[in-house]
């Protein structure tokens, strides 16, 4: 009996004392570093320092590094389970859970949207900074004071356009809550380009796939639909002199390229064998090149149009094949280069913070095009902060 | 600190255990001081460290409560105090404890509702002062109050501050119970048995509780989170979500309680069990004998009996019952939904008592009674989980098909009916239905049980590395 009881004690100690002991020895011998546990005594015990230490411990854990990959692989093989950020759809499509949650959860017009957020006083008015309209209105007004117009482009998430690829039995007419925001903003006098209708229309007409199967982003075909709409919206605004838009010799041309996209959601699954499980997607992308030199499209900081965007603006643009993203395609359609600030996942606030640090970019601008993926209305990095401009 | 994270498992626990067992007994303790006073002092210090890990300043109100109630206890324990003065000291202590709870836990709730009242009568509202909520304050406040009430009722106070603060800040039960009554632990603070068998049983309980949290509660919690976050789910999805929540809260809280019991045993303490197959209950009265037993016992001993219990006539009994359940609900959280949750349970208890402590469905077959009780409990869990009273009613309406599902409601199915979700729910259902309870399972140790327990623990540790930080649900109370 005592042998059994001692075995229980030994089993507990083997894990609870053995793991950290092994970790410390590993850190000293393999990593040639002081044991991480000693860091606890090097800084004052504030909440931030303690939690930072916790996070570091998780990152440095030898056992986590060893055990996590085979566990994730086994869970996928046995149960089809993936890391929580990704959702398995039909026909090998993968979806980003924030894209799905944005459509499932209450929209900005619902009281629950503001749970845990508190009203803030701005110029004597009570506003809630979780409400995207507050930051959008503020930004519009600050630009207007400088004589600059604002064009808003909410970008549909993949499940808004392809809900049936997430759940094969999807029924009903998918109307994203973002369309209510578009109507609301238009009613308040904002310039907003609607990409939802044209993308759904293109899909209904049998257009090639508009979003990548295992990526959060659109295909080159999807972005070209968007580029058409945005370029038309910019022209219709009339802030850029027509002469410079239409009556010039074409500056740019298109060049066919093929590009392999692996898929950011496939990466998010963290399944070690993901590259064996899912094939690469090979898509045709039109690269924008300068007619005179054949050089790939390049931004022009002096352009009267400034583009603010997230990874939907980065894909194919600075990623392979380069100069084939939505910015280049809008420039191609407008026959003039644009200036841009692009930050992955940061379209709600970070791009405006970057703009505030690069105030010179606003010089001689006539128009700011602000694009953001619709899920950022709920999950935008740093929320929707009011941001002063220099 | 959370029992299921690296810091606790790999650093805190081995350190506390090692030093605890290196500290010698005091072979000749001074009168009134326990032979374990040094070990109790060590546990107290470690309790403070454990607690301060959430937020260092949280430890200040707890220390204040400790010192004040220790002094109140010493004073109340004197034999030369007039009854009126004893009552006054008791009242001061209660006001202090409930006042702290009121400020930290109910401060924002009070301000927000005051604003509602002001706006109803057309007065300008004020800016709500945000007050941080120290985790577990409801638990240690109840511990401290039980001490003072027990001393008032005739128990002898502890002489040693180390012993008293060890009772309040004993880390296994500090932030989520079981809620200890002083009279249960007073003897053990003074003299307790440290045996290899008790330690090994504690380890086994710890293994089992760890498995409940990591392998059962956390996976089904994702289903519940998705369903409750949805704007307007389909009826079936809403039922699936609340069922997942019923499993989540049971395995989360029971897992915590079983780990707390196990940890207590490793230090020689035998804490009280908190659960006894609550979903096997065949009435709500029965449910409260099996669910969060330490809370229902605490409320019965210190509130229901203090209010007169069933000794002041039938009408008063019903009022007392309702009041206890309402306050029990409010204890869980400063939100109307918890009061509503308590009100439903109170009403059901009243109805059952009206039938002579037998439910009005007492003549039905047991399986039907159990199913009906579980149905009522499921309905009440909606109030427990929802983001407020309007959301609770909306969710209930969705469960009964009385709302229009949102345009993308179908997509929820892709999130909550994956194969692994179905398997997790099936395992939880089997674990709930099967008759063996962890407490009994761990009473005797065998090699096969070791294999099961250690296997569950190892798998739990491995799975822990694939899960995000996921504290116990009851920490929020």
């Amino acid at each position: 009996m005592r042998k059994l009881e001692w075995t229980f004690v030994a089993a507990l100690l083997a894990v609870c004392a053995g793991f950290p002991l092994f970790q410390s020895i590993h850190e000293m011998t393999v990593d040639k570093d002081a044991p991480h546990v000693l860091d606890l005594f090097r800084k004052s015990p504030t909440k931030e320092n303690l939690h930072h230490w916790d996070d570091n411990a998780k990152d440095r854990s030898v056992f986590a590094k060893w055990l996590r990959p085979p566990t994730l692989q086994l869970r996928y093989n046995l149960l089809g389970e993936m890391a929580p950020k990704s959702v398995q759809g039909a026909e090998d499509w993968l979806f980003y859970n924030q894209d799905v949650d944005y459509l499932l959860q209450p929209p900005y017009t619902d009281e629950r949207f503001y749970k845990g957020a508190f009203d803030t006083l701005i110029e004597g008015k009570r506003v809630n900074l979780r409400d995207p309209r507050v930051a959008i209105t503020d930004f519009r007004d600050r630009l207007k004071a400088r004589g600059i117009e604002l064009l808003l482009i909410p970008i549909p998430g993949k499940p808004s356009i392809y809900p049936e690829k997430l759940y094969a039995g999807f029924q009903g007419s998918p109307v994203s809550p973002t369309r209510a925001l578009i109507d609301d903003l238009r009613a308040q006098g904002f310039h907003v380009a609607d990409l939802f209708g044209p993308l759904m229309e293109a899909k209904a007409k049998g257009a090639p796939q508009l979003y990548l199967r295992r990526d959060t982003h659109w295909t080159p075909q999807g972005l070209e639909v968007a580029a058409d709409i945005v370029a038309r919206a910019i022209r219709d605004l009339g802030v850029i002199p027509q002469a410079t838009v239409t009556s010039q010799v074409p500056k740019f041309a298109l060049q066919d390229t093929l590009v392999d996209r692996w898929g950011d959601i496939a990466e998010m699954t963290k399944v070690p064998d993901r590259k064996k499980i899912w094939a690469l997607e090979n898509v045709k992308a039109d690269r924008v090149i300068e007619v005179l030199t054949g050089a790939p499209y390049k931004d022009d900081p002096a352009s009267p149009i400034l583009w603010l965007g997230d990874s939907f603006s980065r894909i194919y643009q600075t990623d392979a094949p380069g100069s084939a993203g939505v910015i280049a395609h809008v420039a191609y359609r407008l026959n003039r280069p644009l200036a841009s600030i692009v930050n992955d996942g940061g379209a709600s606030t970070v791009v405006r913070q970057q703009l505030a640090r690069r105030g010179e970019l606003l010089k001689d601008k006539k128009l700011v095009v602000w694009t953001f993926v619709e899920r950022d209305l709920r999950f935008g990095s740093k929320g929707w902060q009011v941001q002063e401009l220099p | 600190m959370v029992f299921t994270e690296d810091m606790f498992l790999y650093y805190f626990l081995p350190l506390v255990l090692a030093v605890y067992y290196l500290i010698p007994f005091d072979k000749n303790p001074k009168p009134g001081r326990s032979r374990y006073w040094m070990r109790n002092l060590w546990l107290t210090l470690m309790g403070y460290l454990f607690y301060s890990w959430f937020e260092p300043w949280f430890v200040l109100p707890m220390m204040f409560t400790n010192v004040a109630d220790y002094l109140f206890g010493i004073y109340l324990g004197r034999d030369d105090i007039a009854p009126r003065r004893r009552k006054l000291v008791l009242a001061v202590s209660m006001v202090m404890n409930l006042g702290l709870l009121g400020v930290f836990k109910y401060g924002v709730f009070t301000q927000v509702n005051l604003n509602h009242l002001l706006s109803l009568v057309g007065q300008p509202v004020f800016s709500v002062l945000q007050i941080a909520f120290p985790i577990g304050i409801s638990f240690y406040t109840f511990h401290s109050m039980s001490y003072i009430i027990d001393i008032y009722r005739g128990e002898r106070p502890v002489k040693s501050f180390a012993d008293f603060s060890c009772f309040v800040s004993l880390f296994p039960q500090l932030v989520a119970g079981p809620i200890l009554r002083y009279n249960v632990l007073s003897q053990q603070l003074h003299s307790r048995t440290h045996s290899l068998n008790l330690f090994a049983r504690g380890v086994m309980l710890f293994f089992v509780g760890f498995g409940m949290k990591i392998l059962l509660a956390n996976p089904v919690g994702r289903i519940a989170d998705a369903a409750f976050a949805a704007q307007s789910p389909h009826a079936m999805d809403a039922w699936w979500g609340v069922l997942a929540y019923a499993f989540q809260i049971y395995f989360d809280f029971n897992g915590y309680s079983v780990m707390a019991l196990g940890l207590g045993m490793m230090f020689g303490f035998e804490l009280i069990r908190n659960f006894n197959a609550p979903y096997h209950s065949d009435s709500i009265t029965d449910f409260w004998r099996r669910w969060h037993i330490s809370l229902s016992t605490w409320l019965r001993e210190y509130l229901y009996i203090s209010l007169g219990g069933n000794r002041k006539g039938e009408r008063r009994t019903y009022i007392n019952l309702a009041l206890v359940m309402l306050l029990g609900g409010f204890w869980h959280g400063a939100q109307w939904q918890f009061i509503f949750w308590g009100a439903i349970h109170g009403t059901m208890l009243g109805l059952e008592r009206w039938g002579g402590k037998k439910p009005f469905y007492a003549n039905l077959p047991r399986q039907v009674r159990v199913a009906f009780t579980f149905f009522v409990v499921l309905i009440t869990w909606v109030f427990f989980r929802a983001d407020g009273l309007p959301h609770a009613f909306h969710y209930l309406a969705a469960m009964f098909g009385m709302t229009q599902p949102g345009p993308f409601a179908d997509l929820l199915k892709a999130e909550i009916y994956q194969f692994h979700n179905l398997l997790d729910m099936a395992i939880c259902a089997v674990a709930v239905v099967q008759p063996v309870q962890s407490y009994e399972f761990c009473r005797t140790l065998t090699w096969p049980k070791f294999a099961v327990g250690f296997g569950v623990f190892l798998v739990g540790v491995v799975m822990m590395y694939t899960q995000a930080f996921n504290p116990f649900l009851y920490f929020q109370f």
Side-chain angles (χ1 to χ4, degrees), chain B residues 397-451:
Chain B
M399 283 165 67
F400 291 99
M402 292 156 66
T403 56
Q404 179 69 30
F408 287 91
D410 281 347
L411 298 188
L412 183 60
K413 296 179 196 303
E415 284 199 351
I416 63 174
Y417 295 117
Q418 300 274 351
F419 175 66
H420 60 90
N421 298 137
L422 303 178
L423 189 70
D424 291 334
M425 290 289 276
I427 294 170
C428 284
V430 171
V432 160
V433 170
Q434 62 80 35
V436 183
Q437 297 302 299
S438 47
Y439 193 75
E440 279 78 31
F441 182 71
C442 301
R443 194 167 273 163
T444 54
L445 302 175
T446 61
W447 285 104
K449 284 184 184 176
F450 169 75

Side-chain angles (χ1 to χ4, degrees), chain B residues 286-335:
Chain B
D286 190 25
F287 178 79
W288 280 104
R289 289 191 201 111
R290 294 163 175 266
W291 178 273
H292 205 172
I293 297 166
S294 64
L295 175 68
S296 43
T297 312
W298 198 101
L299 289 173
R300 189 185 64 231
E301 288 214 3
Y302 297 114
L303 190 58
Y304 183 67
I305 291 176
S306 301
L307 289 169
N310 58 2
R311 302 185 309 275
K312 295 191 173 175
E314 205 172 342
R315 204 173 129 202
R316 185 65 191 271
T317 302
Y318 288 117
I319 292 172
N320 290 345
L321 214 50
L323 206 59
V324 167
M325 291 315 292
L326 276 179
L327 289 172
F330 199 43
W331 174 87
H332 279 89
Q335 284 174 316

Side-chain angles (χ1 to χ4, degrees), chain A residues 95-148:
Chain A
F95 288 82
Y96 181 34
N97 80 325
Q98 284 193 352
D99 275 333
V100 183
D101 288 345
Y102 169 72
L103 296 178
L104 280 172
Q105 295 178 12
Y108 72 100
T109 45
D110 192 298
E111 197 181 297
R112 281 176 63 210
F113 184 89
Y114 300 95
K115 185 176 177 264
F118 295 98
D119 285 350
T120 310
L121 282 180
I122 293 183
E123 291 171 6
K125 264 178 70 182
R126 286 160 66 93
V127 295
N128 195 307
L129 291 182
R130 193 169 287 178
D131 184 345
R133 292 169 300 184
V134 175
I136 291 171
T137 307
D138 176 82
F139 190 50
R140 190 263 313 261
D141 294 345
R142 287 180 198 275
L143 291 175
K144 201 157 219 164
R146 293 156 183 264
I148 304 171

Side-chain angles (χ1 to χ4, degrees), chain B residues 335-356:
Chain B
Q335 284 174 316
W336 286 105
Q337 77 218 55
F338 290 111
I339 297 174
F340 217 86
W341 174 81
I344 299 175
H345 276 282
T347 307
M348 285 304 293
L349 288 177
L351 280 173
E352 289 179 1
R353 192 172 184 92
W354 192 37

Side-chain angles (χ1 to χ4, degrees), chain B residues 54-293:
Chain B
F54 296 106
E55 171 67 84
W57 75 262
F58 281 178
V59 89
L60 296 176
M62 187 170 78
M63 283 173 114
F64 173 73
T65 308
N66 272 3
V67 173
D69 278 337
Y70 172 69
L71 296 175
F72 283 135
I74 297 282
Y75 188 76
L76 272 177
R78 282 169 49 178
D79 297 327
D80 56 341
I81 308 291
R84 275 186 67 182
R85 182 157 284 202
R86 282 169 61 79
K87 233 174 214 173
L88 181 70
V89 173
L90 174 74
V92 170
S93 169
M94 294 300 109
V95 167
M96 179 201 76
N97 280 297
L98 294 173
L100 273 177
L101 200 58
V103 169
F104 285 112
K105 186 163 180 172
Y106 303 105
V108 174
F109 175 82
T110 309
Q111 294 178 75
V112 167
N113 283 286
L114 205 56
N115 264 348
H116 278 310
L117 278 177
L118 286 172
S119 54
L120 273 180
V121 294
Q123 294 298 311
V125 295
F126 56 89
S127 186
V128 172
L129 176 68
Q130 297 307 314
I131 302 168
F133 168 64
I135 286 171
I137 191 170
S138 320
F139 287 90
Y140 72 71
T141 303
F142 269 32
H143 289 147
S144 211
M145 284 168 67
S146 92
Y147 171 73
I148 292 295
I149 297 171
D150 281 352
I151 302 300
Y152 178 79
R153 286 176 178 174
E155 285 270 342
R156 297 305 303 163
V158 283
K159 292 250 166 65
S160 153
F161 179 69
D163 289 353
F164 171 69
S165 52
C166 179
F167 159 67
V168 178
S169 61
L170 189 64
F171 76 85
Q173 46 80 48
L174 175 57
V175 285
I179 301 170
L180 298 178
R181 286 159 296 137
Y182 175 66
N183 55 26
V184 170
L185 214 66
S186 58
Q187 192 54 40
Q188 297 182 48
L189 286 166
H190 222 71
S191 89
R192 56 185 179 269
T193 313
H194 295 84
S195 74
L196 183 60
N197 179 265
L198 191 66
F199 192 103
R201 279 174 53 208
V203 172
M204 181 66 184
L205 280 166
F206 187 77
F207 286 168
V208 172
F210 193 89
M212 282 188 201
K213 167 68 177 163
I214 298 281
L215 303 178
L216 300 178
N218 288 355
V220 291
R222 281 169 57 188
I223 300 173
D225 288 348
F228 275 89
Q231 185 191 2
S232 260
H234 287 288
M236 194 180 101
D237 305 344
W239 280 102
W240 186 246
V242 74
L243 183 65
Y245 183 67
F247 290 154
Q248 182 196 12
I249 194 163
Y250 172 57
F251 288 112
D252 190 283
F253 193 22
N254 192 15
Y256 179 90
S257 301
V258 167
M259 289 170 89
L261 279 179
L263 288 165
M265 284 180 180
M266 292 183 211
F267 298 101
F269 290 102
E270 295 207 52
L271 311 178
I272 55 171
R273 70 187 289 185
N274 226 1
F275 291 88
N276 183 17
Y279 294 148
H280 294 191
S281 310
D282 64 357
S283 66
I284 295 298
T285 309
D286 190 25
F287 178 79
W288 280 104
R289 289 191 201 111
R290 294 163 175 266
W291 178 273
H292 205 172
I293 297 166

